Amino acid sequence: MPGFATRAIKAASRIPAAPQPPVNVPIYQTSTFEVASARELAELLEFARPGHSYSRYSNPTHAALEGALAELEGAEACHVTASGMAAVHGVVVSFLRTGDDLIIPRAVYGGMVGLARTVLARAGINVHAVDTSDPAAVAAAIGDRTRLVWLETISNPTTAMADIAAISELAHDRGVPVAVDNTFASPYLCNPLALGADAVVHSTTKYIGGHSDLTGGAVLGSAEVVAAAREIVINAGGNAAPLEAFLALRGLKTLALRMVRHSTNALAVAEALEGAPGVDAVRYPGLASHPQHALAGRTLRDAMAGGMLGLEVTGGRAAGERFLDRLQVAVHATSLGTVETLCSHPASSSHRQLGDAELAEAGLSPGMIRVSIGLEDPEDLVADLANAAAGAAT
């Protein structure tokens, strides 16, 4: 091979020997993999043999993250995706067909509302929003065409909680599977599969990544459930990126430490702000005043309630917007589950699709602030949020 271009390409493609295992999983930053035969490639594309062919289908860095998440969630299988919504879409579409019914919480992540109103509506899938904090309401909503019940361990953004075990039992009695978005709790605080759920999704962007520097998602469950969702994800182009998977693996190493700090910080803030000037209510499952406080104690590890809380500020929508302008420590930004404390106004961001009446039906007020408590000193957070609430109410 005397040609320079040929030699350059071949020389730059040699894989170096690495007899000593690396401490961190390498980033397999490659779109494709060399195969030995047409048959091997066909079998790889059908997941009929171990290995990788094309990173839209699988990648070694993806596989490392999938194995780690499956172990931590107690799942048989996992497939990582480009975003949490890619995971949600993959699960929902794999379970549902035209004419089927889907039950979702009244208070649910705005991305699910958007999916229901666009993709699912066009596909002829009927979506029914119910109070999933009440198992009896879920039981009453299940009909002959119900093919999936969708829950959130801790609802986004109201922090309402569903009794996953009770709802899974009643749904299974009627032959209906249950899927749970476990993003707010993370695998550290809750494992919905152990409570009876059939599928779990995560936005790995949030607590699993933990540093505001990746976008990703994951589907977990039995091999059959994950394979069905994976088929949708692959064909819709919702594949994860190797770098994002690497960053999520890094985040998993400190997840336990971070979730403890998120939880202790959030409880300190919630207790300090309950009854503070400019705050009408604090929604946090760790507070005795929360409607599902006892459920949180039974469901979440060591009764820790995570880092998400809702603040009802005095003065409605205008006060909610003023609150954000007064922040000095916390950051006005979307997303959650990161080392920084982030605040957002759901009525104008994640739930902007809803009018005031729809917000009220979902248990949201126009002035509610979603707060993702970070890892800062709790005294600084209390002072910052209390000052913002008091100033916004004037």
Side-chain angles (χ1 to χ4, degrees), residues 206-230:
K206 313 304 194 300
Y207 286 112
I208 289 170
H211 292 78
S212 299
D213 57 7
L214 73 92
T215 303
V219 178
L220 299 108
S222 68
E224 181 181 5
V225 164
V226 171
R230 181 182 65 203

Side-chain angles (χ1 to χ4, degrees), residues 114-334:
L115 181 73
R117 293 187 174 186
T118 55
V119 176
L120 302 187
R122 293 179 186 182
I125 294 168
N126 307 301
V127 180
H128 304 280
V130 304
D131 180 5
T132 53
S133 67
D134 180 5
V138 177
I142 295 176
D144 294 340
R145 291 185 173 274
T146 304
R147 297 293 180 267
L148 183 65
V149 174
W150 185 270
L151 303 175
E152 294 177 336
T153 309
I154 304 172
S155 282
N156 183 354
T158 66
T159 76
M161 292 187 63
D163 190 331
I164 297 169
I167 292 173
S168 295
E169 182 177 3
L170 69 86
H172 291 162
D173 286 345
R174 303 187 188 191
V176 178
V178 174
V180 179
D181 184 339
N182 198 32
T183 298
F184 266 30
S186 88
Y188 180 73
L189 292 184
C190 185
N191 299 133
L193 296 173
L195 298 174
D198 301 281
V200 168
V201 301
H202 283 280
S203 171
T204 58
T205 311
K206 313 304 194 300
Y207 286 112
I208 289 170
H211 292 78
S212 299
D213 57 7
L214 73 92
T215 303
V219 178
L220 299 108
S222 68
E224 181 181 5
V225 164
V226 171
R230 181 182 65 203
E231 183 178 28
I232 300 298
V233 171
I234 288 172
N235 286 295
N239 52 291
L243 175 60
E244 312 294 89
F246 171 85
L247 292 172
L249 283 165
R250 178 209 57 187
L252 276 178
K253 293 183 178 183
T254 60
L255 180 62
L257 297 173
R258 289 185 288 107
M259 292 310 297
V260 171
R261 175 73 173 200
H262 284 303
S263 297
T264 56
N265 271 6
L267 181 59
V269 170
E271 290 177 338
L273 293 185
E274 197 168 33
V279 178
D280 289 340
V282 180
R283 302 187 185 190
Y284 182 64
L287 290 175
S289 58
H290 192 278
Q292 288 87 48
H293 178 67
L295 176 63
R298 298 195 307 271
T299 303
L300 305 175
R301 181 191 294 266
D302 298 332
M304 289 184 289
M308 300 303 301
L309 57 88
L311 293 182
E312 298 282 357
V313 297
T314 305
R317 184 182 294 266
E321 294 173 355
R322 288 195 297 268
F323 176 97
L324 298 170
D325 293 336
R326 297 182 63 85
L327 296 172
Q328 298 295 317
V329 176
V331 179
H332 177 194
T334 190

